Amino acid sequence: MEDLRPSTRRISRRAVLAAAVLAPLVSTTLIAPTASGGEADSPVLQIMTYNLEGRGTAGPSWKHRRPIERAMLRQAQPQIVDTQEGDHTQVKQVAADLGKNYGWIGKGQNGGHKGIINAIFFDKRRLKVLGHNTFWLSATPTKVGSNTWGAKHIRTATWIHFQDKQDSGRDFYVLNTHFDNGKGQHPDNVRLKSANLVGKWIARLPASKPVLVSGDFNSAAEETQVYTRLLNRSGLVDTWKTAATRANEYGTHTGHKAPKPGPRIDWILSDPKVTTDHTETNVFSKDGLAPSDHLPVQAWVRLR
């Protein structure tokens, strides 16, 4: 197991809690002969965050959306795909659609394969897993199924410590999460507490290691305290803003309507040690049908 202590980042006042959240479940070695996509020695990584839209929603059925999802992913070919809202059946189907070169890690909101999984898919030819874990967005993050803040749903975060076999063995962290979508009297309170918990996780990482944080935050970028909390207190930057180029500047929750300018609630954040070449929302559709009620967001990044 890896030991993330000591850290040169600021240490949370609840260091014991953060250390427990970080304890990896397993160390895994994956062997791959080549990297995927682009030139063999390219340091660029493509990461996608993608709310799958669960199978039980009122929109178009997953049965009809899945072929669109498969075509979209096979066209995009990201090395990392962070998904939200999928159950175990859906996640397994996405894994099959990505193909044998991809693995995935994630735990259900109720433990094991039970409930919604915030999965991280990764190209095994390019990336090796050094450690990973799932924690719950609550005051008791190591307790399976915990929801102490009155959120509408049980929410989790999944993280993986990767080694990039194509970029001189550089290692980095990826976290995928889905903040609550409650709309009560103080809807941002739970999301702010979730942002604080993610910040504590970041604070325990070695300062020299790049980190990428992505997901469906159910908060508008640049317009909410949740966004500024993650950027200002956690030392992150928004790859959408730092990218050298960007495309398809649309709101990311479309509800299966035509894409149009609007709030970005699906983000890919990074620390300043990551350079973003390009970012975009993916507007892939076929015969008028999109793969989800959310637009996937993609970023092409370089670890520094």
Side-chain angles (χ1 to χ4, degrees):
M1 287 189 176
E2 64 180 350
D3 186 353
L4 296 182
R5 298 168 295 173
S7 170
T8 56
R9 291 181 184 263
R10 59 180 178 83
I11 303 299
S12 164
R13 288 176 291 181
R14 300 177 68 178
V16 174
L17 168 64
V21 168
L22 278 166
L25 293 176
V26 68
S27 292
T28 307
T29 300
L30 301 173
I31 305 299
T34 60
S36 65
E39 298 181 2
D41 59 352
S42 172
V44 177
L45 275 168
Q46 185 196 154
I47 179 172
M48 172 188 286
T49 184
Y50 171 29
N51 184 315
L52 296 172
E53 186 183 0
R55 292 191 297 158
T57 64
S61 71
W62 172 245
K63 177 181 178 179
H64 294 106
R65 291 188 287 110
R66 184 185 173 192
I68 315 302
E69 162 266 317
R70 182 191 303 118
M72 183 272 293
L73 288 175
R74 291 188 177 183
Q75 182 187 81
Q77 295 187 344
Q79 284 87 31
I80 300 170
V81 185
D82 294 345
T83 66
Q84 305 87 39
E85 213 167 286
D87 61 19
H88 186 237
T89 296
Q90 207 169 4
V91 167
K92 286 196 302 179
Q93 291 172 340
V94 171
D97 294 340
L98 281 165
K100 65 181 181 179
N101 292 321
Y102 286 79
W104 70 273
I105 285 172
K107 185 179 289 185
Q109 65 192 63
N110 297 313
H113 296 153
K114 300 176 183 178
I116 300 304
I117 300 171
N118 290 322
I120 301 177
F121 298 84
F122 54 94
D123 190 327
K124 296 182 291 186
R125 297 167 296 178
R126 175 77 182 261
L127 300 169
K128 181 171 76 172
V129 175
L130 301 179
H132 68 88
N133 209 343
T134 294
F135 60 87
W136 277 257
L137 302 184
S138 76
T140 53
T142 60
K143 184 177 180 181
V144 174
S146 57
N147 178 5
T148 64
W149 298 327
K152 182 179 178 181
H153 303 286
I154 298 169
R155 298 297 200 193
T156 64
T158 300
W159 63 266
I160 300 180
H161 183 190
F162 282 120
Q163 183 179 63
D164 185 352
K165 292 177 283 187
Q166 192 166 299
D167 188 12
S168 304
R170 186 186 297 274
D171 63 306
F172 65 103
Y173 290 82
V174 173
L175 181 138
N176 174 33
T177 192
H178 188 183
F179 283 7
D180 192 58
N181 65 342
K183 302 182 185 301
Q185 185 176 2
H186 302 289
D188 269 346
N189 283 356
V190 171
R191 291 188 282 271
L192 281 171
K193 289 177 180 178
S194 298
N196 287 338
L197 186 62
V198 170
K200 290 171 183 175
W201 175 80
I202 293 169
R204 293 296 301 156
L205 300 181
S208 61
K209 305 302 181 185
V211 58
L212 294 157
V213 174
S214 73
D216 174 359
F217 294 89
N218 276 305
S219 300
E222 305 178 69
E223 300 175 16
T224 60
Q225 286 184 296
V226 174
Y227 179 84
T228 55
R229 181 73 55 90
L230 281 168
L231 269 61
N232 295 344
R233 294 194 184 182
S234 301
L236 299 175
V237 297
D238 184 351
T239 61
W240 187 266
K241 303 294 290 184
T242 61
T245 61
R246 66 183 66 90
N248 304 330
E249 300 192 36
Y250 299 123
T252 59
H253 182 246
T254 65
H256 289 285
K257 298 179 181 179
K260 62 181 181 180
R264 290 186 296 115
I265 66 172
D266 303 87
W267 319 328
I268 300 174
L269 309 178
S270 75
D271 70 70
K273 288 183 291 298
V274 175
T275 299
T276 304
D277 290 352
H278 179 74
T279 187
E280 65 181 54
T281 54
N282 188 307
V283 295
F284 187 95
S285 66
K286 186 177 181 180
D287 299 327
L289 184 60
S292 172
D293 59 352
H294 286 245
L295 296 177
V297 177
Q298 297 166 252
W300 285 257
V301 302
R302 300 170 187 260
L303 310 175
R304 291 189 295 182

